[in-house]
Amino acid sequence: MSSDAAEVEKRVSDMLDCLESFPVFARQFWTVARPGRDVVWGWHLQHCAERAQHYMEQGHGTLVVVLPFRSGKSTLFGVLLSAWDWLHHPQRQWVSLASDPKNVSRDSRATRKVIQSPAYQALAGIVGSTQALELSRDQNEKTNFVLAGGGGRRCTTTFGSITGGDADVLHLDDLIDAKEVEVGSPAQVNRRLQKVVDLFDNSWTDRLNPNPDLPPDVEPGVKLIVAQRVHQRDLPGVMIERSLAGIEDCEIIHIPEQYDST
């Protein structure tokens, strides 16, 4: 085999690996999403990516991921996961919420950049979804875009409006800023935290599209709660308590930050 043929064969093999494995895709497209920032791919990202792929393939369930600040969670879940998911399910609708509007806009722009990259479009061609993964011209905003295949992404802030926003995937990323638990009386802080829990229980999850293929006792949609801990009564903490008590059926990935003095 000539060197050119071997190179082409390797390139095709790498592309197929990206389609099959979200961890491989994430490592390959990290610098597309975050130019100039090479990823240090640790075991925590590998594990999170593997579990994220499981829920995307399953199509329902709740995954709670608690990681420290600047551990790559927003890039992994907020930028790359939806792009990989649309290669397999171009009809899926995502709703993403976060506390900081600048982060919401940043991550949505990065996702669009990944989708429009030549490498991603080559993958779309392999799965026959080139047209389905084109951004619709009449709905192509930074934080609200639709794909020709029916999928798309709507982004807003924690207390912003999602009226009219249906979802197959609900992605929640750092819903409470650290300053929100430092300002005001304990009662005021608790009210803010409880409001987030109430929105999750009574508003956001109601936006998930029904799935007639699921048994009647299985809740539809994928719920991704990704955050750093900021308070004992924040949403991740409540979900952890519910999981331990058997009240909520969800998977918890909790990787705390540790201080190393060496």
Side-chain angles (χ1 to χ4, degrees):
M1 180 183 297
S2 67
S3 59
D4 289 344
E7 184 178 344
V8 170
E9 183 176 328
K10 183 181 184 307
R11 189 180 305 119
V12 171
S13 177
D14 290 344
M15 294 173 71
L16 294 175
D17 287 343
C18 282
L19 288 170
E20 182 179 343
S21 167
F22 175 55
V24 173
F25 175 91
R27 295 184 70 174
Q28 183 71 28
F29 281 85
W30 197 281
T31 54
V32 178
R34 306 293 193 208
R37 300 183 186 178
D38 292 335
V39 61
V40 179
W41 191 262
W43 63 268
H44 68 295
L45 290 176
Q46 180 70 25
H47 180 63
C48 289
E50 289 173 356
R51 299 312 299 154
Q53 177 170 343
H54 166 77
Y55 284 93
M56 292 300 102
E57 292 175 340
Q58 179 173 269
H60 65 88
T62 304
L63 176 64
V64 181
V65 180
V66 181
L67 291 176
F69 175 68
R70 297 193 65 81
S71 57
K73 62 184 184 299
S74 292
T75 302
L76 189 69
F77 287 94
V79 178
L80 296 169
L81 183 57
S82 58
W84 182 83
D85 183 45
W86 285 321
L87 288 166
H88 303 276
H89 308 98
Q91 78 285 355
R92 274 199 183 149
Q93 298 172 349
W94 281 59
V95 168
S96 296
L97 295 95
S99 62
D100 191 333
K102 292 181 293 185
N103 290 347
V104 168
S105 181
R106 176 202 65 194
D107 290 347
S108 186
R109 289 199 308 270
T111 302
R112 287 158 45 88
K113 186 185 301 181
V114 170
I115 292 172
Q116 294 173 313
S117 69
Y120 184 88
Q121 288 301 314
L123 294 178
I126 290 177
V127 297
S129 296
T130 301
Q131 291 185 339
L133 292 173
E134 290 181 354
L135 295 170
S136 296
R137 294 181 180 179
D138 59 347
Q139 186 58 69
N140 186 5
E141 303 169 0
K142 291 179 181 179
T143 57
N144 187 9
F145 59 83
V146 174
L147 301 172
R153 182 173 182 179
R154 179 169 180 172
C155 303
T156 187
T157 54
T158 304
F159 302 114
S161 173
I162 58 170
T163 301
D166 297 329
D168 301 295
V169 180
L170 179 64
H171 163 238
L172 311 175
D173 186 359
D174 280 333
L175 294 171
I176 285 287
D177 191 275
K179 67 177 181 292
E180 294 293 331
V181 300
E182 298 173 350
V183 177
S185 67
Q188 290 173 321
V189 170
N190 287 332
R191 280 197 295 270
R192 292 187 197 116
L193 294 167
Q194 187 59 45
K195 185 175 181 180
V196 172
V197 175
D198 291 342
L199 284 168
F200 175 78
D201 288 337
N202 304 316
S203 179
W204 298 333
T205 52
D206 289 343
R207 293 294 174 183
L208 290 168
N209 294 321
N211 185 346
D213 296 330
L214 294 175
D217 60 336
V218 176
E219 294 185 359
V222 177
K223 290 170 276 189
L224 304 170
I225 302 173
V226 186
Q228 58 177 328
R229 293 299 307 275
V230 295
H231 193 277
Q232 287 297 106
R233 300 304 303 166
D234 59 15
L235 181 60
V238 170
M239 296 299 290
I240 291 171
E241 287 185 1
R242 291 177 179 179
S243 177
L244 292 173
I247 299 172
E248 192 93 28
D249 183 14
C250 58
E251 178 178 349
I252 309 293
I253 300 176
H254 188 184
I255 305 176
E257 186 173 20
Q258 294 183 343
Y259 173 68
D260 185 357
S261 61
T262 59

